[in-house]
Amino acid sequence: MLDVLEAFLVSGEELHGFAVAKAAGKPTGSIYPILARLEQAGWLDSHWETEHPKEGRPRRRFYVLTSNGAQEARSVIMERRGKLPSPAVEQPRPRPEFGFLTRWTGA
């Protein structure tokens, strides 16, 4: 459960179940029961994907920490692990040195 909570704290955004499993490094079969328990406890909110998925892929259910869930998650992780996970920080893309190169690199 701690790995799942950390995945949400690090991302800072809503995640679908497979993304949570990937971020937590756990199989989906163990992730979905945890997500259900966290939602039932009021730590997560969820909603189904509203747009039509690509052919061959089922609709995804997205989960997000509630404000209370985020507070509780931080508290539990501090208690159990002694430190909070670092939030994901997007690294800036390197820019070309010469302006004319942007046309060729797509930047």
Side-chain angles (χ1 to χ4, degrees):
M1 184 182 296
L2 295 176
D3 293 334
V4 170
L5 293 173
E6 280 189 358
F8 282 104
L9 290 175
V10 167
S11 78
E13 56 189 34
E14 64 182 21
L15 299 170
H16 55 83
F18 185 72
V20 175
K22 188 174 177 182
K26 306 289 182 204
T28 55
S30 63
I31 294 297
Y32 287 106
I34 293 170
L35 294 173
R37 285 194 307 268
L38 290 172
E39 187 173 17
Q40 189 174 23
W43 289 25
L44 291 178
D45 280 332
S46 69
H47 65 89
W48 284 102
E49 181 175 44
T50 55
E51 60 190 47
H52 295 289
K54 294 179 182 177
E55 192 172 324
R57 181 179 62 77
R59 279 190 324 159
R60 295 184 282 195
R61 188 165 187 86
F62 286 89
Y63 300 86
V64 65
L65 281 171
T66 62
S67 58
N68 182 52
Q71 290 174 343
E72 294 293 339
R74 285 184 192 95
S75 175
V76 167
I77 290 172
M78 280 296 293
E79 178 184 314
R80 300 288 174 97
R81 295 199 172 156
K83 65 177 184 166
L84 292 175
S86 301
V89 177
E90 188 174 315
Q91 298 296 322
R93 288 180 48 190
R95 299 189 53 87
E97 234 177 274
F98 304 104
F100 69 89
L101 290 178
T102 59
R103 174 174 49 159
W104 302 109
T105 63

